[in-house]
Amino acid sequence: QVQLEESGGGLVQPGGSLRLSCAASGGTFRNYNVAWFRQAPGKERQFVAAITRTSSGTYYGDSVKGRFTLSRDNSAKKAYLKMNSLKPEDTAVYYCAATTVVISGLRDAANYHYWGQGTQVTVAS
C-alpha cells in the first residue's frame, strides 16, 4: 500500500508557472501508474495527466495539453507536474493518485486506489 503527499501549490498570477510534487511512501512506487486530477469548487474531479510506471507513456487532459508536463523519478519515489502558462480556470485542488490499472483506464478517477490529500492552486492577479 502506498501513501501519497502533494506539495508545491500556491497563488500564482495568470501566465505564471508552478511545479507540484507528489511524494510516495510505504509502497513500491515503481509498480504504480501515477496521475494528477483536479477539482474546482462545485465541479467534478477532472483528469489532468497520467504517467506509466516506467515513464514510457504520458497522457494529458485536453485543457492542459501543451502547458503541463508530468514526469517521475522512481528512485526518489516522486512525481512532478510542471505547470506553465497558468490560467484562472486552472484554479483547483490538485490531487496525486496511484493505480495498477492498465493504460486504457488511466483517465478515470474511479480506477485509482490511492490518493493524496490535495494541494491548492490558485491562479489570480
Side-chain angles (χ1 to χ4, degrees), residues 80-95:
Y80 305 98
L81 184 67
K82 182 65 188 300
M83 306 185 296
N84 295 325
S85 303
L86 283 162
K87 305 174 181 179
E89 51 264 43
D90 294 318
T91 295
V93 177
Y94 283 70
Y95 298 91

Side-chain angles (χ1 to χ4, degrees), residues 1-6 22-35 53 72-74 76-79 96-101 111-117:
Q1 186 170 347
V2 65
Q3 290 82 46
L4 304 172
E5 183 175 4
E6 303 93 339
C22 173
S25 61
T28 306
F29 184 64
R30 65 179 180 271
N31 288 347
Y32 297 91
N33 299 314
V34 174
R53 296 175 183 83
R72 66 188 293 167
D73 182 343
N74 284 345
K77 294 188 175 183
K78 289 187 175 182
C96 178
T99 183
T100 56
V101 167
N111 289 328
Y112 287 80
H113 314 300
Y114 306 105
W115 291 84
Q117 294 298 309

Side-chain angles (χ1 to χ4, degrees), residues 44-97:
E44 292 187 355
R45 194 162 292 192
Q46 180 187 38
F47 172 75
V48 175
I51 189 167
T52 56
R53 296 175 183 83
T54 61
S55 302
S56 60
T58 51
Y59 309 89
Y60 296 93
D62 289 342
S63 61
V64 307
K65 201 172 296 183
R67 299 187 297 123
F68 290 12
T69 303
L70 179 55
S71 62
R72 66 188 293 167
D73 182 343
N74 284 345
S75 62
K77 294 188 175 183
K78 289 187 175 182
Y80 305 98
L81 184 67
K82 182 65 188 300
M83 306 185 296
N84 295 325
S85 303
L86 283 162
K87 305 174 181 179
E89 51 264 43
D90 294 318
T91 295
V93 177
Y94 283 70
Y95 298 91
C96 178

